[in-house]
Amino acid sequence: MPSHIDIAVNLVGSALEKDLNNVIQRAATQGVSPLIVIGSSLQESRQAIACCQQYPHQLISTAGVHPHHASEWHDNSTHELTLLAQQPQVVAIGECGLDYNRDFSPRPMQRRAFANQLALAVELQMPVLMHERDAHEDFVDILKEYRPQLSGALLHCFTGNRASLERYIEMDLHLGITGWVCDERRGSELAQLVKDIPANRIMVETDSPYLLPRSMRPKPKSSKNEPQYLPYISQYIASLRGQNAAEFAAQVYTNTCKFFSLKENYEPI
Ligand SMILES: [Zn+2]
């Protein structure tokens, strides 16, 4: 029986795609299924849906435009994204948000694409999977207008500080924690904070192939992260929270199923 759901796998166009069958099998062997494939642009969301059709029991997806791709957002994007979001494999709008760390798209375009996707999530009453790096103030400003009407709002790969965590909890967000927390240097602040995330608001994710947990021993031969390592991340977070690993995993599993409206013991057709 699966006991973990990886809520953020960057499959399309990544090293994982070439080895997809094995990636899925290795994950399933560790009780990680299904995997949520992230759509980062309209084109990638289309490809993500195609992957899901190939593996209908193992993969589901999001559809959206990442802030890195926000400059591709145009007047017809809302319409195109609506059609993608209505596909049965798609469980959330996203990932969308703001990334002022890389600034791959101009900030005004990032804000427009984010606001338009939040409006669409409200209209379709679908949950939203969001990304925020170094953009807390603007992110909150935009999100607060839509938050009361959103059916669910998840900030994936949370790596912020205590003040931002408190604000996000106040806004009733779900928070996704990655193997970033296992990094003894840059993850040390996050390691202090994870115990303060309410039990019914926390989720776990690999964000693979990025963010291989640095503390794994023996170190995996490849530096590429995979969904099969999710149980390691989950156990690590459970110990930081002072919780029993199995109980924590069960709570996270329930949170994830509820948020994405998945049936428990998920068996997609
Ligand atoms: Zn992200």
Side-chain angles (χ1 to χ4, degrees):
M1 198 186 92
S3 44
H4 303 272
I5 297 170
D6 195 346
I7 61 162
V9 181
N10 302 279
L11 203 60
V12 179
S14 83
L16 301 178
E17 196 176 10
K18 295 173 205 84
D19 195 23
L20 185 50
N21 207 23
N22 290 325
V23 168
I24 290 171
Q25 288 317 317
R26 285 193 288 265
T29 305
Q30 300 302 319
V32 182
S33 181
L35 313 178
I36 301 187
V37 182
I38 296 296
S40 295
S41 67
L42 294 176
Q43 177 58 22
E44 273 190 23
S45 300
R46 252 173 236 119
Q47 290 169 253
I49 292 167
C51 287
C52 295
Q53 286 164 341
Q54 239 184 302
Y55 294 94
H57 296 276
Q58 292 92 359
L59 302 180
I60 45 185
S61 90
T62 69
V65 176
H66 189 282
H68 290 347
H69 292 278
S71 55
E72 296 165 22
W73 189 268
H74 51 81
D75 291 341
N76 205 35
S77 295
T78 298
H79 174 67
E80 288 176 35
L81 185 52
T82 303
L83 298 179
L84 293 173
Q86 288 167 339
Q87 299 301 307
Q89 297 83 5
V90 177
V91 293
I93 299 290
E95 76 180 274
C96 60
L98 301 176
D99 193 315
Y100 292 176
N101 181 273
R102 300 288 189 89
D103 276 324
F104 285 162
S105 286
R107 293 180 182 184
M109 302 195 82
Q110 291 192 36
R111 291 192 284 267
R112 176 183 178 225
F114 182 36
N116 286 358
Q117 290 177 85
L118 291 175
L120 182 61
V122 168
E123 191 190 318
L124 300 176
Q125 279 300 291
M126 286 178 76
V128 66
L129 187 148
M130 303 176 294
H131 170 109
E132 183 264 306
R133 284 290 298 281
D134 297 347
H136 176 70
E137 298 298 328
D138 281 4
F139 184 89
V140 167
D141 263 2
I142 294 171
L143 178 60
K144 70 174 187 242
E145 284 195 36
Y146 298 91
R147 182 64 192 102
Q149 291 85 41
L150 280 166
S151 66
L154 161 65
L155 177 60
H156 103 104
C157 194
F158 172 75
T159 56
N161 58 23
R162 178 164 298 278
S164 64
L165 177 67
E166 282 171 3
R167 186 75 176 98
Y168 289 144
I169 291 171
E170 214 177 275
M171 294 179 90
D172 197 23
L173 303 192
H174 283 74
L175 294 157
I177 304 296
T178 61
W180 180 287
V181 75
C182 309
D183 187 321
E184 70 283 359
R185 299 162 310 165
R186 61 180 187 171
S188 61
E189 188 178 12
L190 183 60
Q192 305 280 320
L193 296 178
V194 287
K195 63 178 184 312
D196 298 325
I197 301 174
N200 64 351
R201 286 294 174 267
I202 191 165
M203 291 191 215
V204 295
E205 52 174 312
T206 61
D207 208 15
S208 51
Y210 315 117
L211 302 178
L212 178 72
R214 277 179 58 91
S215 51
M216 285 181 82
R217 298 292 179 273
K219 251 185 177 17
K221 284 186 200 79
S222 162
S223 63
K224 114 179 149 273
N225 196 8
E226 281 200 27
Q228 62 165 325
Y229 303 135
L230 189 62
Y232 175 82
I233 298 170
S234 179
Q235 281 163 23
Y236 194 97
I237 297 169
S239 71
L240 289 171
R241 289 169 64 88
Q243 271 183 280
N244 171 283
E247 278 168 25
F248 177 67
Q251 169 83 60
V252 169
Y253 190 85
T254 300
N255 294 347
T256 307
C257 289
K258 267 197 193 151
F259 183 84
F260 292 105
S261 300
L262 311 176
K263 290 198 182 74
E264 303 237 357
N265 303 327
Y266 184 73
E267 271 284 342
I269 301 150

